[in-house]
Amino acid sequence: MKLSLPFLKKQPMVAVVRLSGAIGMAGRGSMNATSLAPVLEKAFRKGKPAAVALEVNSPGGSPVQSSLIGARIRRLAEELDIPVYAFVEDVAASGGYWLAASADEIWADDSSVLGSIGVISSGFGAHVFLARQGFERRVHTAGQSKSMLDPFAPEKKDDVARLKVLLGDIHENFIDHVKSRRDGKLDTSADLFNGEVWLARRAQELGLIDGIAHLKPKMQEKFGDKVKFRRYGLRKPIWSRFGATIAQDAFAGLEERAAYARFGL
């Protein structure tokens, strides 16, 4: 039986949530709003934490999943009045920076890569290959834009124009999020939203982060040397080593590796 002694002061506890990997990929254990929901709920609600610290190491991914995860972090933080601190490891780029910006303060290592506040869409075109192999593409739609950007058909200027509008609107949402979360901290004379990335020192000068620091010493600085840590994160199910989806996970791993490679990692 555990005794509660009211005259003994309880040491502060910081809940640490690991946000690692590409966002919204197809593999099991992927970082998305559904898989992270119970993790974030436990982190914010269990044991009355003094703060929640986010360990961020992500090259980005789905803008929608980034927004949903970030929105949940903010709702819980505001509902329970708990401060949130982000600590960037190798990279917080694109959607990874979206997650970091959901915190009240962002800290990083000297060599962390940050930024890439932009939106990208990539694909392939296989119509020439199909024609050479003697294949004929047959597509029937109701609605002239239903087959927009079909990779097996020649690219159309109207399709590209529509895509650029969509990307531009998503980019504006990203910009609004960063401006809202970093209000009063950003260098308004710099072009911060062109998709460029920076190392931490330059990111600090631009106002994208609050400074250079690591999780444990910074939390000890804020909450005392005796602060305790409780860790939360996604766990891959035991059956992830078996079954017919191994190939899918392998392809998802390659896609994630490619996302990191864009930043030299």
Side-chain angles (χ1 to χ4, degrees):
M1 182 175 68
K2 185 177 180 180
L3 296 176
S4 177
L5 303 177
F7 53 85
L8 292 179
K9 185 178 179 180
K10 187 177 180 182
Q11 298 301 330
M13 183 270 291
V14 172
V16 181
V17 179
R18 184 155 188 81
L19 302 176
S20 180
I23 303 166
M25 293 297 182
R28 286 167 298 193
S30 172
M31 189 162 55
N32 57 60
T34 299
S35 62
L36 279 173
V39 175
L40 292 171
E41 290 288 336
K42 288 180 182 178
F44 276 91
R45 298 185 186 279
K46 188 174 181 180
K48 297 181 179 180
V52 171
L54 308 175
E55 288 181 327
V56 180
N57 191 3
S58 174
S62 164
V64 174
Q65 293 301 315
S66 302
S67 177
L68 290 173
I69 295 167
R72 183 177 288 274
I73 291 170
R74 292 314 314 156
R75 285 197 302 272
L76 289 166
E78 292 165 10
E79 175 189 342
L80 301 171
D81 194 24
I82 295 174
V84 182
Y85 304 94
F87 293 88
V88 178
E89 295 182 349
D90 298 277
V91 59
S94 195
Y97 184 76
W98 189 306
L99 299 187
S102 300
D104 300 299
E105 295 179 9
I106 306 173
W107 302 88
D109 181 81
D110 268 308
S111 298
S112 297
V113 177
L114 300 106
S116 190
I117 303 171
V119 184
I120 186 172
S121 174
S122 59
F124 62 90
H127 62 284
V128 175
F129 171 79
L130 291 179
R132 287 175 177 172
Q133 300 305 313
F135 290 99
E136 180 185 0
R137 176 72 166 158
R138 295 175 180 175
V139 179
H140 308 280
T141 68
Q144 64 179 4
S145 298
K146 190 63 179 177
S147 63
M148 187 178 84
L149 298 173
D150 183 345
F152 301 105
E155 192 172 66
K156 300 176 183 177
K157 290 184 179 180
D158 289 346
D159 289 352
V160 174
R162 294 188 191 98
L163 176 63
K164 287 184 176 180
V165 171
L166 292 174
L167 296 179
D169 289 345
I170 295 172
H171 193 198
E172 286 301 320
N173 292 339
F174 196 171
I175 292 171
D176 290 344
H177 173 69
V178 174
K179 286 183 175 180
S180 171
R181 297 301 308 148
R182 303 295 296 173
D183 186 31
K185 297 180 179 180
L186 298 174
D187 181 353
T188 55
S189 66
D191 185 2
L192 303 177
F193 309 119
N194 62 2
E196 188 175 349
V197 295
W198 300 272
L199 289 185
R201 293 286 178 187
R202 180 58 178 150
Q204 181 181 0
E205 293 172 2
L206 295 170
L208 293 170
I209 66 172
D210 294 278
I212 309 300
H214 296 164
L215 192 154
K216 184 175 180 179
K218 176 55 68 173
M219 293 295 92
Q220 287 178 329
E221 177 187 316
K222 288 183 176 290
F223 300 104
D225 291 340
K226 295 184 179 180
V227 64
K228 297 180 179 179
F229 299 94
R230 183 173 291 168
R231 292 188 165 273
Y232 301 87
L234 292 174
R235 294 182 180 179
K236 290 188 177 182
I238 190 171
W239 59 84
S240 67
R241 289 172 260 172
F242 310 101
T245 59
I246 292 176
Q248 181 186 20
D249 288 346
F251 281 117
L254 289 172
E255 189 175 6
E256 182 174 279
R257 184 68 259 163
Y260 277 104
R262 290 178 53 226
F263 306 103
L265 301 170

